[in-house]
Amino acid sequence: MKFYSTNGVAPLVEFKDAILTGLPPDNGLYMPQKFGTLDKSIFAIKDFPTMAFEAAKVLLDGAIPDADLRKIIDKCYNFDVPVVNVHDNVNVLELYHGPTCAFKDFGARFMANTMSYFLRSGNRKVNILVATSGDTGSAVANGFYNVDNINVVILYPSGKVSNLQEKQLTTLGGNITAFEIDGTFDDCQKIVKTAFLDAQLSGEFNLSSANSINIGRLYPQSFYYIWAYNRLAGTSGSEVVFCTPSGNFGNLTAGLIAKRMGLPVKKFIAATNVNDVVPEYLFTGTYTPRPSQRTLSNAMDVGAPSNFMRMTDMYKTVDAMRADIVGYKVTDDETRATIHDVYERCDYMLDPHGAVGYNAVMKYISDTGEADPIIMLETAHPAKFGEIITDTLGIAPTIPPQLQACLQKDKVSVKCSKDYDEFKGKVREYLIR
Ligand SMILES: *Cc1c(COP(=O)(O)O)cnc(C)c1O
């Protein structure tokens, strides 16, 4: 089974090359020629790693031998993935029990361990360059921490990430280096893009990306859709609705993949903050990417979602997409009101991203009268957004032990201006060959 580029120009590649290079040379995104079909027995498996292993076997179609794949899965998923009923038919899939307390741990850990598997001979070493505005960087850094033959350089905008996020990025050490850029997130991203296009640098070092455009991050995110379905519907075959708070739409696309594999999903709710290009597209049929606006759910402040290309590749027309996905936009005022309301009424604490999802669920229920089970994906622990929660509820969320631990460590970063040549001069000593 091979991977093609959504732009249709680049040659077909194996899974190994799709994951190690990240992006096809024609600027499209890699997609598999087929997704495979789940055996119904998977819906009876009550243990996450075993279930994930069965799903991964179907997706990878032999690209990694079973015994090795099982080892990778066991290394990645050693934390809880609970489904919690909030009220009536509304449930939350808590994806924040991993090492960095955000759902990105699922994708980052799988990608890291899979890359490491393909590089196990040690003949080839890879440097991951990643720009982050917060969450991605810490999940990636953590996923790759102490992984052989891989080195990570993270770029983050100085003074523009929260204290907790900064600690998560700068306290690992080892094969992880944090560059603190005197500039914005866009400046960081520009440096990374320039580095990838720099023939001299990429001639000297193997460089790779690790954002949600890598198919190796997307695939494992389909596992927890199957898992949540298991918990609620088992082998009944009945349909459920998923709601995914979205920015670059990698998480939602992973759900679409699970559906293609045979997961009985009635509808996907695409929940966004005011950066609503996809809900707008579903509503009007016109796609208008634009600069992002800052919101409380800042990991979803995306004006040109990178995975939209994959969605159109899967559906071809807006009508086909509408049959599976409905979009809702949620404002910051609604986000705050939802955090407050759900805490008061249901004694359940949502983070701002989950609050966007929950609010979209309420709008969907009010539009459709939906009575089937609905599963909202809670993408981050509320403690990661402690200030907003404290501001809204007047109480501070409990900080989970894994976040507490990194708060106590000392920050180590390499300070650098946003000038590419300065970065290039400094980064060399942190790259491996
Ligand atoms: C990254 C992120 C999202 C958005 O996920 P996409 O796959 O980019 O749509 C939502 N919530 C949190 C907390 C995130 O970190």
Side-chain angles (χ1 to χ4, degrees):
M1 201 255 304
K2 294 203 182 335
F3 290 78
Y4 63 88
S5 164
T6 51
N7 277 356
V9 179
L12 299 176
V13 297
E14 300 290 338
F15 178 66
K16 173 180 172 175
D17 297 308
I19 196 168
L20 288 179
T21 55
L23 266 183
D26 63 0
N27 263 322
L29 297 177
Y30 281 122
M31 282 294 267
Q33 287 179 311
K34 68 176 171 75
F35 296 106
T37 305
L38 296 170
D39 191 283
K40 303 272 181 290
S41 62
I42 199 170
F43 301 127
I45 303 175
K46 299 297 177 208
D47 155 70
F48 189 90
T50 305
M51 187 234 70
F53 171 59
E54 292 302 327
K57 273 202 292 194
V58 175
L59 276 172
L60 267 55
D61 193 34
I64 299 176
D66 287 357
D68 295 316
L69 184 58
R70 179 71 210 218
K71 272 189 225 152
I72 292 172
I73 296 274
D74 286 343
K75 232 191 235 174
C76 294
Y77 306 119
N78 50 3
F79 49 87
D80 280 350
V81 195
V83 179
V84 178
N85 181 262
V86 182
H87 62 83
D88 305 307
N89 60 336
V90 180
N91 304 277
V92 171
L93 171 62
E94 293 182 351
L95 298 173
Y96 56 68
H97 296 277
T100 72
C101 297
F103 83 96
K104 290 191 171 73
D105 285 329
F106 285 86
R109 286 165 79 80
F110 184 82
M111 180 174 60
N113 285 292
T114 312
M115 277 188 169
S116 163
Y117 169 79
F118 286 127
L119 296 169
R120 67 196 179 285
S121 69
N123 296 335
R124 181 171 164 194
K125 299 188 196 303
V126 167
N127 297 281
I128 306 279
L129 290 189
V130 58
T132 186
S133 52
D135 271 354
T136 301
S138 55
V140 166
N142 223 285
F144 283 102
Y145 182 55
N146 277 341
V147 167
D148 290 341
N149 303 315
I150 302 181
N151 197 46
V152 179
V153 173
I154 301 170
L155 291 81
Y156 74 94
S158 182
K160 296 193 178 63
V161 303
S162 74
N163 177 44
L164 181 63
Q165 284 175 326
E166 184 169 42
K167 287 281 179 142
Q168 285 188 298
L169 295 172
T170 58
T171 57
L172 284 165
N175 60 333
I176 314 292
T177 306
F179 267 72
E180 180 176 356
I181 304 294
D182 187 10
T184 61
F185 170 64
D186 288 340
D187 294 324
C188 298
Q189 209 152 25
K190 207 163 130 202
I191 293 174
V192 170
K193 280 190 185 146
T194 312
F196 284 132
L197 295 173
D198 182 337
Q200 192 194 15
L201 197 66
S202 52
E204 267 181 77
F205 303 97
N206 280 318
L207 303 179
S208 185
S209 81
N211 48 28
S212 62
I213 54 186
N214 193 309
I215 191 82
R217 256 185 70 183
L218 212 56
Y219 266 6
Q221 294 181 12
S222 65
F223 302 160
Y224 48 69
Y225 284 88
I226 305 167
W227 175 249
Y229 181 87
N230 274 7
R231 310 312 296 168
L232 285 180
T235 53
S236 65
S238 58
E239 290 189 319
V240 302
V241 173
F242 281 100
C243 174
T244 311
S246 295
N248 271 314
F249 282 78
N251 204 2
L252 188 100
T253 303
L256 304 177
I257 291 174
K259 177 161 187 174
R260 285 286 160 99
M261 294 166 79
L263 189 69
V265 181
K266 183 175 186 177
K267 206 81 176 181
F268 289 95
I269 304 169
T272 69
N273 56 34
V274 292
N275 296 285
D276 67 336
V277 288
V278 173
E280 181 186 83
Y281 168 73
L282 290 164
F283 191 66
T284 65
T286 309
Y287 183 65
T288 319
R290 48 187 172 254
S292 64
Q293 298 180 50
R294 279 192 77 102
T295 73
L296 295 173
S297 47
N298 61 16
M300 310 199 305
D301 293 350
V302 180
S306 53
N307 281 288
F308 185 70
M309 240 194 276
R310 285 196 167 107
M311 295 166 70
T312 50
D313 188 69
M314 289 175 86
Y315 287 99
K316 316 296 183 210
T317 69
V318 66
D319 282 330
M321 203 187 284
R322 281 173 183 147
D324 278 359
I325 313 171
V326 56
Y328 288 97
K329 152 176 111 169
V330 177
T331 66
D332 273 358
D333 284 347
E334 290 172 318
T335 302
R336 272 197 204 276
T338 302
I339 293 173
H340 196 267
D341 175 57
V342 174
Y343 188 70
E344 291 297 317
R345 253 188 330 116
C346 313
D347 199 20
Y348 190 83
M349 198 183 277
L350 289 164
D351 96 296
H353 305 79
V356 167
Y358 185 92
N359 186 277
V361 167
M362 290 301 116
K363 287 175 177 157
Y364 172 76
I365 291 178
S366 130
D367 284 352
T368 61
E370 185 62 73
D372 281 338
I374 303 176
I375 301 160
M376 198 283 288
L377 278 59
E378 173 54 301
T379 50
H381 193 288
K384 292 195 84 167
F385 303 91
E387 278 169 36
I388 297 169
I389 303 296
T390 309
D391 228 39
T392 309
L393 297 179
I395 53 159
T398 313
I399 299 180
Q402 60 269 51
L403 294 184
Q404 202 101 52
C406 80
L407 277 173
Q408 270 141 25
K409 293 189 196 150
D410 291 326
K411 157 183 163 182
V412 180
S413 70
V414 181
K415 291 209 165 61
C416 185
S417 79
K418 62 182 180 184
D419 174 60
Y420 178 70
D421 289 324
E422 183 183 336
F423 172 79
K424 186 175 172 180
K426 284 187 174 167
V427 79
R428 270 208 163 77
E429 75 174 276
Y430 299 98
L431 299 177
I432 56 170
R433 252 186 282 233

